[in-house]
Amino acid sequence: MTSSAPLSTSTSVWNARLWGILLTASLVVGLDALDVSMVGVALPSIQADLELSTSALQWVVSGYVLSYGGLLLLGGRAADMLGRRRVFLTAVAVFALASLVGGLVDDGALLIATRILKGMAAAFTAPAALSIVTTTFTEGPARNKALGIFAVFGASGYSAGLVLSGLLTQVGWRWTFFLPVPIALIAWAAAGRLLPKDGPRSSGGYDLPGAITSVAAMLLLVYTVVQAPEAGWAAPSTLIQFALAALLLVAFVMLERRSAHPLVRLGILRSGPLARANLGATVFFGGFIGFQFVVMLYFQQVLQWSALQTALGFLPAALIVAFGSPRMEPLIERLGTSRTIAGGVIAHLVAYVLFLVIDRDAPYAVGVLPSMTLLGIGFTLAFSSLNIQATAGIPDHEQGLAGGLLNTSMQVGGAIGLAVVTAALTTGGEGKTGPDALLAGFTPALLTVTALSAIGLLIALSGVLGRRRSADIPAAEPELALAVD
């Protein structure tokens, strides 16, 4: 596939088409994030209406996350080889269709199937959208500004999904499935008009064995972690599944080293900033998603809040992300991505520690609002910076791969983090009833989240303390070399 040169050379002169391309790509990645969270508050209504068991109900969420996280690498590779426009348009159309069908079905198995299909579509739209942005805008101030706007859609999409879920569930849970349909159709129509035509498809080969082993390894790993609390972490079935996942990962690495057209060029991982961004994103999102789950239970089970009240409880964090992310560019240019990522992780760590001593009788403004505020600040600081750091210095023909790696880290990290936090929550709350007892049972889960954040801080600080001046992305000094370690 031929790659067109970036259309932007300056942050000050962006025409209507550039803005249209950026907003179209951003809208879709926001939609992907929205769909991850929007079903959360609606789960009790879905369970009652479709008469789903608790084990079946989890697959309404897990089915989406597993297929999304498991196929992102393949999606990134497809965008690079088949053409970003082709992949983007096809995947958005599939996403819209699956959303429509999901809102119409009356069978739990069919609903889960549509969620899996939507996750598969999102796995192709997310890296395609990111690579569209990074290849349209030149590296430096222009790309940083574009990624800041791109990040606000992705970051606020997840938070907005929590709020919208509460609002729409008051009308009916099916509206949480219908809402994405018109948004996806608008993005599809805009992309068809705005995105430049792809060049001829790549004549290179396709690493199908690598795709199969990587997807199987990630799906099996996440599935095992999700099922382990019920089966037992030391159960033979759990240990066997972990061993098989490890063997599949080893097989994947061996295949990539020998393949003439690897799914993942392993040399890309030699980039220090890229490796830190992906590892940091895994831990960051693991703690973030786990913490939001604990807070949602606190609102609904301890405070006995309604779905709408629960959604509004997350509103401060969502507003901070929505208003803060577009204004991140000057800060990132001045401090560099390593420092802003570290600042975001520190904000989350403090938020988690504050929640460890939460009291059910404490007013929202005193007990919850400080953590929600820090949650929004931390996400705003870290999310944009992770996107910039993970794609800086990567050639255009591998931008889809870089985007796929980062999104894979986020989704798989979130799924594993949520599973581990849920296991800790189950252990801590076993046999406990009543609001006070339930609140006490949250402690092991919150300690787990705090530990994940502490690990994330070590990763972030390694970038601050060990980087060379030119290894960061100080876009305020575009004349300096932007080489990465």
Side-chain angles (χ1 to χ4, degrees):
M1 183 187 74
T2 59
S3 176
S4 59
L7 300 178
S8 170
T9 58
S10 171
T11 57
S12 59
V13 183
W14 287 11
N15 58 30
R17 185 184 178 193
L18 277 172
W19 277 108
I21 292 172
L22 174 59
L23 294 178
T24 299
S26 300
L27 180 63
V28 168
V29 79
L31 182 60
D32 291 344
L34 182 82
D35 211 69
V36 173
S37 63
M38 193 162 58
V39 74
V41 182
L43 287 176
S45 298
I46 294 173
Q47 183 176 28
D49 194 16
L50 299 185
E51 299 180 347
L52 294 176
S53 66
T54 302
S55 60
L57 185 67
Q58 74 163 350
W59 285 103
V60 177
V61 177
S62 299
Y64 183 93
V65 174
L66 285 171
S67 56
Y68 189 3
L71 292 171
L72 274 165
L73 284 178
L74 184 60
R77 181 63 169 165
D80 288 336
M81 297 194 68
L82 300 179
R84 299 176 183 96
R85 185 179 186 272
R86 294 187 187 101
V87 170
F88 188 87
L89 288 172
T90 302
V92 170
V94 173
F95 189 97
L97 178 61
S99 295
L100 178 62
V101 175
L104 295 173
V105 299
D106 288 312
D107 179 78
L110 290 177
L111 180 66
I112 293 169
T114 64
R115 292 288 292 171
I116 292 173
L117 184 59
K118 288 177 72 173
M120 294 171 65
F124 286 81
T125 59
L130 180 57
S131 61
I132 285 169
V133 173
T134 55
T135 54
T136 299
F137 296 87
T138 52
E139 188 169 344
R143 184 181 293 179
N144 290 353
K145 178 181 177 181
L147 286 174
I149 296 170
F150 183 82
V152 72
F153 280 82
S156 59
Y158 186 90
S159 299
L162 294 171
V163 178
L164 288 173
S165 181
L167 294 171
L168 294 174
T169 301
Q170 299 293 112
V171 181
W173 65 264
R174 294 182 185 277
W175 288 100
T176 63
F177 290 80
F178 289 142
L179 178 64
V181 177
I183 300 174
L185 291 177
I186 291 171
W188 184 85
R193 292 179 60 87
L194 294 170
L195 296 183
K197 298 287 186 180
D198 292 317
R201 300 185 184 188
S202 172
S203 59
Y206 295 89
D207 182 21
L208 292 180
I212 294 171
T213 52
S214 65
V215 171
M218 283 182 284
L219 289 176
L220 181 58
L221 177 62
V222 176
Y223 173 81
T224 304
V225 174
V226 170
Q227 295 295 113
E230 182 178 346
W233 290 94
S237 61
T238 301
L239 297 176
I240 291 172
Q241 288 169 354
F242 274 129
L244 287 174
L247 288 174
L248 285 169
L249 286 172
V250 171
F252 170 70
V253 172
M254 294 178 65
L255 286 167
E256 297 311 283
R257 292 182 63 181
R258 298 178 180 179
S259 175
H261 306 283
L263 181 67
V264 178
R265 185 181 65 82
L266 297 179
I268 199 174
L269 300 176
R270 296 193 187 102
S271 165
L274 181 145
R276 284 196 304 273
N278 281 273
L279 186 58
T282 301
V283 180
F284 183 82
F285 275 81
F288 176 70
I289 301 299
F291 180 70
Q292 286 199 329
F293 182 69
V294 173
V295 174
M296 189 176 297
L297 292 178
Y298 171 76
F299 287 156
Q300 293 186 331
Q301 295 184 1
V302 176
L303 300 185
Q304 300 294 307
W305 281 10
S306 67
L308 180 58
Q309 288 175 307
T310 298
L312 294 177
F314 287 99
L315 186 59
L319 291 176
I320 290 171
V321 172
F323 286 100
S325 291
R327 296 164 175 81
M328 280 298 298
E329 180 205 357
L331 185 63
I332 295 174
E333 290 178 5
R334 185 166 64 252
L335 299 180
T337 55
S338 292
R339 291 190 179 95
T340 49
I341 291 170
V345 176
I346 290 171
H348 275 200
L349 180 59
V350 175
Y352 304 154
V353 170
L354 288 177
F355 216 83
L356 275 168
V357 295
I358 192 72
D359 187 331
R360 66 178 290 246
D361 296 322
Y364 177 87
V366 175
V368 179
L369 185 58
S371 289
M372 286 291 105
T373 301
L374 288 167
L375 202 68
I377 292 173
F379 203 102
T380 301
L381 287 169
F383 190 76
S384 298
S385 303
L386 286 168
N387 276 279
I388 293 171
Q389 191 175 86
T391 56
I394 305 300
D396 282 357
H397 70 278
E398 290 190 321
Q399 284 291 328
L401 170 59
L405 283 170
L406 181 65
N407 281 282
T408 297
S409 299
M410 292 177 180
Q411 295 304 319
V412 174
I416 294 176
L418 178 58
V420 173
V421 169
T422 301
L425 187 66
T426 302
T427 302
E430 188 174 0
K432 296 181 179 180
T433 58
D436 289 324
L438 288 171
L439 182 58
F442 290 164
T443 301
L446 290 169
L447 287 172
T448 302
V449 168
T450 305
L452 286 173
S453 188
I455 295 171
L457 181 58
L458 293 177
I459 297 170
L461 290 178
S462 72
V464 175
L465 300 176
R467 71 181 179 88
R468 297 194 308 269
R469 180 58 178 155
S470 62
D472 205 355
I473 297 78
E477 301 173 326
E479 71 277 10
L480 295 179
L482 293 176
V484 293
D485 286 333

